[in-house]
Amino acid sequence: MNEILIQNTTAFFEKSFGTVPQKIVLSPGRINIIGEHIDYNDGYVLPAAIDKIICFAFKKSNSKTSKIIAIDLNEEFEVDLTQTIQLSEVVWTNYILGVIKQLLDNGFSFEGFNCVFSSNIPVGSGLSSSAALECGMIFGIKELFDLKIEKQDIALLGQKAEHWVGINCGIMDQFSSVHGLENKVIKLDCNTLEFEYHNADFKDYSLVLFDSNVKHSLFTSEYNNRRLECEEGLSIIKNNFPEIKTFRDCTEEQVLSLKDKMNEIVFKRVHFVVKEILRVTQACEALDNGNIELLGQLLFDTHAGLSKDYEVSCAELDFIVEEAKKDEAVIGSRLMGGGFGGCAITLIRKGHENRVKEAFTSLYFDTFGIDLKIYDVKVSNGTSLYTTTN
C-alpha cells in the first residue's frame, strides 16, 4: 500500500514541477499501546510508529520561495522565507508554517524548496497525522539542506510548531513518529524524554483499530478538568506522604488509605492514574516475555478505568469494548487517545479478523446507525528517508 503512495507522490511532484524530487521522506502515524492520560501525570507512555504514513517529495527551488502542495486536499500555498511567518486562515498550512518558523527561530539556515505530500493516515482517527506532518517536514528540510538536527530535537521542534498553531500537545506523538522502530514499542518518560525499546511481537494476534467514527465535543473542557482534578489529588497525597513527589512514587495502597480525604471524583481520577502507571510497566514485561494474553487483559483493565474512574469514554467506545469481551477471539481492547470518541485498539487472534470485523460492523451500525471504520496496523519505523533499497 505504501509503495503505491510513494509512486503516486513522486509522479505528482514530477508532473507539478517538471523535474524529479531530490528527497523522498516517509513519516508515520502512531498508536499508544497503553498509558493513557498519564503523560501529564508523571507516568510513562508506550507508543509505537505504525505503517500508515505521509509521503513527502522534496527538491530545492533555488530561490527564497517554497511551494507546498497537499495532494489529498488539492490545495497549495507558497511561503516567502524572507518575510515574517504568520498564522494563516487555512488551517493545514499552519502546521508547515509553524515548522518553518521554528527552524528559522532556532537559527537554522536554509533556502526555498518545493514539496508535495500525500497520506494514508486516517485524519481525525487519533493516529496523529499532525505530528507526522510536522516531523516529516522538518526531516525533509534537514535532509535537503544538510542541517544538523538530532531526532529528539526534530520531535521538540514539531511539538513547538503545534503549540504555535494553538494546540497544546504533549511530546508523545512527535517523539514516537521520529523514534519508531519496526516491531518495537517505546517506553517513554514524557518529562525527561528518557526512553527504552521493548519487543512488539504480538505473536498469534493482530492489532486492529476500530474507529467509532464519532468525536464528542466534551473533550477540551473535560481534559482541562481532569488535569485540575489530578493536581488536587496529588496535592492531598503529598500532604499526607511528604516523601512522594509524583504519582509514579505512589502505591495503590497509599491512594486507598486517603479515600476519605478526597472527594469521590478526585479519588477516582488519582486511583486510575496510579494503577495505569503500574499497567505500563506490566505491559512492557508482558511484551518482553511474549505473554500477549496478559497484555490483552491489561488493555481491558485500562478501558474499565478510563470509562468508570477517569470518565473519558462514551457509549460507542464502551459498546465496542463490551462486544470485544464477549468474543473468544479477542483478548484485549480499549479506547485509545483522549477519549469521547476515536478508536479502540484491539488484539484479535489471527485467522479470526474478518469474522470479528464483520460482526462488529453489523452490530455497531444496528445500535448507533454509524459506519464503523477499521484499520489494520503494524508497528513500523519512524520518520526516514526513502530509497529504492527500502
Side-chain angles (χ1 to χ4, degrees), residues 28 30 54 87 91-103 106 124 126-138 153-175 177 219:
R30 66 99 191 97
I54 302 178
L87 283 167
V91 174
W92 72 268
T93 66
N94 286 328
Y95 293 93
I96 296 167
L97 292 169
V99 158
I100 293 171
K101 177 176 170 57
Q102 290 305 320
L103 288 169
N106 282 274
L127 301 183
S128 224
S129 56
S130 60
L133 181 62
E134 294 147 8
C135 295
M137 188 61 62
I138 295 168
D153 292 322
I154 292 175
L156 289 168
L157 288 165
Q159 181 193 28
K160 287 179 181 176
E162 192 143 342
H163 289 177
W164 181 76
V165 173
I167 300 167
N168 191 27
C169 63
I171 190 63
M172 177 180 74
D173 296 350
Q174 290 82 4
F175 197 95
S177 189
F219 176 71

Side-chain angles (χ1 to χ4, degrees), residues 323-340:
E323 290 304 317
K325 285 182 179 177
K326 297 175 189 175
D327 196 306
E328 291 183 357
V330 182
I331 58 164
S333 184
R334 72 169 187 87
L335 77 85
M336 186 184 74
F340 304 108

Side-chain angles (χ1 to χ4, degrees), residues 210-257:
F210 290 101
D211 187 345
S212 65
N213 211 5
V214 298
K215 193 68 181 175
H216 296 285
S217 59
L218 290 166
F219 176 71
T220 302
S221 60
E222 291 301 318
Y223 174 83
N224 293 334
N225 288 341
R226 296 302 176 278
R227 295 193 73 145
L228 292 172
E229 290 155 358
C230 289
E231 287 168 12
E232 180 181 337
L234 183 59
S235 177
I236 293 169
I237 293 169
K238 286 180 175 178
N239 287 340
N240 288 271
F241 297 99
E243 71 276 13
I244 290 176
K245 300 291 187 286
T246 72
F247 280 118
R248 73 176 70 171
D249 305 324
C250 188
T251 65
E252 184 180 359
E253 290 71 26
Q254 288 170 319
V255 174
L256 291 171
S257 74

Side-chain angles (χ1 to χ4, degrees), residues 351-365:
H352 295 261
E353 298 97 333
N354 288 340
R355 177 190 61 76
V356 172
K357 290 175 188 176
E358 289 171 7
F360 280 28
T361 299
S362 177
L363 286 165
Y364 191 74
F365 187 83

